[in-house]
């Protein structure tokens, strides 16, 4: 595991800058897990990150659909998952999650990855968001 990025954001207006910083350090494809308590800002940050990656579509929470697909300006695939509502890992398997997670041409952004921990690839980026009042502390590490 190696540290990749750290940032402290005191207001929502600072999110785009932080998202651009992280986007510049991410691989073109792979899995990025977002961990943080409910209300920490995972979806809001992913929205800013998608914009930084060149997604022009409206980025919405996939809470009910489980997955949303977006395309960047250069037609790269970005998949945004929200596993909060999953009751078992078999639900993720039934929607073909592994096909997305191991697609060498796609970037997968995962909220609540703990729900599918056993399916996660060994190589991934883990982003932790800690909320302290209105301030958010971001830490990203590359695994392994």
């Amino acid at each position: 595991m190696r540290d990749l990025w750290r940032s402290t954001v005191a207001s929502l207006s600072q999110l785009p800058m932080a998202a651009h910083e992280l986007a510049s350090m991410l691989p073109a494809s792979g899995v990025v897990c977002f961990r943080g308590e409910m209300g920490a800002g995972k979806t809001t940050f992913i929205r800013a990150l998608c914009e930084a990656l060149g997604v022009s579509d409206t980025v919405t929470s996939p809470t009910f659909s489980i997955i949303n697909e977006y395309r960047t300006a250069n037609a790269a695939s970005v998949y945004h998952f929200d596993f909060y509502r999953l009751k078992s890992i078999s639900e993720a398997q039934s929607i073909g999650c592994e096909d997305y997670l191991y697609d060498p041409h796609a970037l997968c952004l995962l909220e609540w990855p703990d729900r599918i921990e056993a399916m996660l690839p060994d190589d991934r980026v883990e982003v932790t968001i800690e909320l302290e009042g209105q301030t958010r502390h971001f830490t990203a590490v590359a695994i392994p």
Side-chain angles (χ1 to χ4, degrees), residues 8 13 19 45 54 61 66-68 79 81 88 105 107 124-125 131 134 140:
T8 297
S13 66
F45 186 70
S61 174
I66 308 293
I67 178 173
N68 288 342
Y79 298 106
F81 293 85
S88 68
H105 306 290
L107 184 63
R124 62 185 184 269
V125 173
L131 190 58
Q134 294 300 311

Side-chain angles (χ1 to χ4, degrees), residues 55-74:
V55 170
S56 60
D57 296 325
T58 300
V59 176
T60 60
S61 174
T63 299
F64 296 102
S65 61
I66 308 293
I67 178 173
N68 288 342
E69 178 181 0
Y70 305 108
R71 297 273 179 198
T72 65
N74 63 0

Side-chain angles (χ1 to χ4, degrees), residues 40-118:
K42 294 178 292 296
T43 302
T44 302
F45 186 70
I46 288 173
R47 187 175 296 121
L49 181 61
C50 283
E51 187 174 308
L53 291 168
V55 170
S56 60
D57 296 325
T58 300
V59 176
T60 60
S61 174
T63 299
F64 296 102
S65 61
I66 308 293
I67 178 173
N68 288 342
E69 178 181 0
Y70 305 108
R71 297 273 179 198
T72 65
N74 63 0
S77 294
V78 177
Y79 298 106
H80 178 194
F81 293 85
D82 185 335
F83 296 116
Y84 183 75
R85 293 181 47 238
L86 288 188
K87 293 176 180 52
S88 68
I89 199 164
S90 63
E91 285 183 70
Q93 292 167 328
S94 71
I95 63 169
C97 232
E98 289 171 309
D99 293 337
Y100 295 102
L101 298 178
Y102 293 91
D103 180 343
H105 306 290
L107 184 63
C108 296
L109 310 175
L110 283 57
E111 295 185 52
W112 303 101
D114 54 300
R115 305 280 211 257
I116 64 154
E117 202 76 44

